[in-house]
Amino acid sequence: MPPETHVLDPPSILFPYDKVRNEQSDMIACVLEAVQERKHTLIHAPTGLGKTAATLAPLLSKILSPEFKDKKLTIFFLTSRHTQHKLALDTLRLIKEKYNISFDVVDLIGKKLMCLQPGANLLQGTEFNEYCKSVREDKSCEFYVNVRESVFKLTPHGHKVVDDLKTILPIHVEVLMEACKEDKVCPYEITAEIAKDARVIIADYYYLFHPSIRERFFSKIGKELEQAIIIVDEGHNLPSRIQKVMTSMLTTNMIKYAIKEAKKYGYTELIEKLQILQTIFLNIAQGLSFEFGGQREKLAKKEQFMQPLAAKLDQEYDAFIDEMEVIADAVRILQKHSFIGGIAQFLKAWKGQDEGFVRIMNLEPSKTGPVLKLSHRCLDPSLVAKGVIEQSYVTLMMSGTLLPTEMYKDLLGFPESAKEYTFDNPFHENNRLAIVIPKTTTKFSMRNDQQFSAIAEI
Ligand code: SF4
């Protein structure tokens, strides 16, 4: 028995299909109320209900309506899943075609993944940003030079690529990247230019929930958080994603490779300094062992690292960071990546805030032997999420696994007044096909070629 459907009322909603499921129209009513009353909202709705259309259609109808036109709102559809980018784009394409309306949409993945420079995808996040910044500044990235005459001015070629692409929107980011490759222009710069006029931006969580990425991105596309309607798709993933980006780590291997790097490029003084840092690092780890019943982790204090380092180096902690950053910039010109730069980034984070973070040393196994990891670890995702949610015009978080919604509301710092909704599965239980295959698993520690082959066979 298929889910019950009806014709959507009111007809002013730009719904892409002829019929709407009953649960879907209930969800549309909640979304309309959320944007009308500016009430942040959490929605648990099972997979298959049609959440993407139930959010994009009413929100788009609102922001394009005469009532909302002057507010200049932009919808940010944030998702961590590749398939969801496509689903959102297909939904928007159907709306455009069905109602013959015009609005710009951009699809965006991480800048590093969009970069056309060979090998750039192998760099760590901060490393990549430093690299991209330096090749833009010294104008050695041909893809950037082909797009921009200056930070705010496009080249005639850049203008042409933007204008051409705007005629075929919405397009998947991979299609845009192919077109940019042919035209030898930076896909990120082109997308950012199109995003200035876009009414819907499909992107990863980081573009809004990583403080420095958001700041740079919003200033580049000329938009304000106060005018952002945020849809967080698969919202149950957001807390761990925020914790991950806000956590910094220093490992035995990073120090080892940084010393190697300093030796390779002849930074003799730095070699000695890094060896001192290594000794202090190992002192913090004292007492950890893999022996049966042994301690594998211990708390560390900010001063345990900062004070002995400054004392033994006879140099201010910040001055040491500055020195390493200058050397890392020089190394990146020669080989893109710098472990010395990675250590400088960690030392900066280590002196960061205490509230909501823990400093901890872990001993972990790895393929190459035991590894020590010293982390400045984020425990409280609301430190980042709360400010974004509060400043946004309205934030809607949805998922098929968002129960209890109250927990996510608290974890991410939604205000007390935020609304919570739970929808039933629209499919009759006899129509739900659940298959359990015990011999396969997607558990991280069990992922290997044998498992992948077994899953592929099924
Ligand atoms: S400007 Fe664009 S192509 Fe050049 S390094 Fe940066 S992201 Fe890559």
Side-chain angles (χ1 to χ4, degrees), residues 111-112 114-117 120 128-129 131-133 135-136 140-145 147 185-189:
K111 187 180 186 183
K112 187 173 82 171
M114 295 175 82
C115 180
L116 295 181
Q117 286 289 354
F128 170 75
N129 290 335
Y131 164 73
C132 175
K133 188 170 159 232
V135 293
R136 275 184 284 127
S140 60
C141 175
E142 63 162 322
F143 308 111
Y144 182 79
V145 174
V147 181
V185 288
C186 169
Y188 176 79
E189 293 295 331

Side-chain angles (χ1 to χ4, degrees), residues 222-237:
K223 297 204 185 268
E224 303 286 339
L225 196 47
E226 288 75 6
Q227 291 169 312
I229 294 180
I230 305 173
I231 305 170
V232 184
D233 187 38
E234 301 287 328
H236 61 279
N237 288 320

Side-chain angles (χ1 to χ4, degrees), residues 101-386:
I101 48 171
S102 167
F103 56 90
D104 285 350
V105 178
V106 295
D107 182 25
L108 204 59
I109 52 174
K111 187 180 186 183
K112 187 173 82 171
L113 299 174
M114 295 175 82
C115 180
L116 295 181
Q117 286 289 354
N121 59 336
L122 301 174
L123 300 175
Q124 300 289 330
T126 329
E127 282 282 313
F128 170 75
N129 290 335
E130 293 295 330
Y131 164 73
C132 175
K133 188 170 159 232
S134 74
V135 293
R136 275 184 284 127
E137 280 172 1
D138 67 16
K139 298 198 182 311
S140 60
C141 175
E142 63 162 322
F143 308 111
Y144 182 79
V145 174
N146 288 343
V147 181
R148 293 201 184 273
E149 274 175 25
S150 65
V151 177
F152 299 108
K153 195 166 179 223
L154 288 182
T155 59
H157 181 56
H159 266 300
K160 186 176 179 314
V161 177
V162 168
D163 291 345
D164 287 351
L165 286 171
K166 274 188 171 188
T167 62
I168 53 166
L169 294 176
I171 50 169
H172 196 278
V173 64
E174 279 161 12
V175 177
L176 179 134
M177 283 170 65
E178 253 335 289
C180 289
K181 204 171 174 181
E182 268 183 33
D183 283 314
K184 293 194 184 321
V185 288
C186 169
Y188 176 79
E189 293 295 331
I190 292 290
T191 308
E193 202 56 35
I194 298 173
K196 286 180 179 171
D197 295 325
R199 304 309 304 269
V200 186
I201 296 178
I202 302 163
D204 191 276
Y205 301 149
Y206 296 148
Y207 280 98
L208 269 87
F209 288 98
H210 187 297
S212 56
I213 292 180
R214 180 181 66 247
E215 209 175 292
R216 284 198 300 269
F217 181 58
F218 271 61
S219 120
K220 200 168 188 77
I221 64 172
K223 297 204 185 268
E224 303 286 339
L225 196 47
E226 288 75 6
Q227 291 169 312
I229 294 180
I230 305 173
I231 305 170
V232 184
D233 187 38
E234 301 287 328
H236 61 279
N237 288 320
L238 187 60
S240 60
R241 293 290 294 270
I242 292 177
Q243 285 172 313
K244 196 171 162 201
V245 296
M246 298 306 291
T247 293
S248 298
M249 206 175 277
L250 179 65
T251 68
T252 20
N253 286 344
M254 282 168 71
I255 303 174
K256 196 169 84 189
Y257 292 130
I259 293 173
K260 246 183 169 176
E261 194 172 283
K263 280 183 184 161
K264 183 176 171 187
Y265 294 107
Y267 292 102
T268 327
E269 223 180 284
L270 184 65
I271 299 170
E272 279 173 35
K273 291 182 178 182
L274 287 170
Q275 283 165 341
I276 291 172
L277 178 142
Q278 190 175 39
T279 308
I280 297 166
F281 178 89
L282 294 173
N283 281 344
I284 298 174
Q286 263 182 19
L288 299 185
S289 91
F290 273 130
E291 279 172 23
F292 182 69
Q295 194 184 354
R296 302 273 178 94
E297 61 180 22
K298 67 196 277 199
L299 291 173
K301 289 200 177 107
K302 193 190 275 191
E303 310 77 51
Q304 264 181 295
F305 204 57
M306 289 180 71
Q307 282 174 2
L309 193 61
K312 294 238 165 71
L313 295 180
D314 195 19
Q315 184 180 24
E316 293 275 338
Y317 185 83
D318 286 343
F320 181 47
I321 296 175
D322 291 345
E323 182 189 338
M324 284 203 292
E325 281 187 331
V326 171
I327 293 175
D329 279 345
V331 170
R332 281 189 203 106
I333 292 171
L334 302 167
Q335 60 170 37
K336 283 192 183 137
H337 175 77
S338 166
F339 285 100
I340 296 167
I343 294 186
Q345 287 302 325
F346 172 80
L347 293 186
K348 259 194 208 168
W350 182 258
K351 63 177 191 158
Q353 75 185 85
D354 299 330
E355 200 189 325
F357 284 79
V358 65
R359 291 179 177 78
I360 193 162
M361 176 69 91
N362 290 76
L363 176 64
E364 291 178 8
S366 82
K367 282 180 191 160
T368 53
V371 174
L372 287 165
K373 289 182 179 170
L374 184 61
S375 322
H376 179 241
R377 193 180 295 170
C378 175
L379 300 178
D380 181 1
S382 77
L383 289 172
V384 171
K386 190 173 190 286

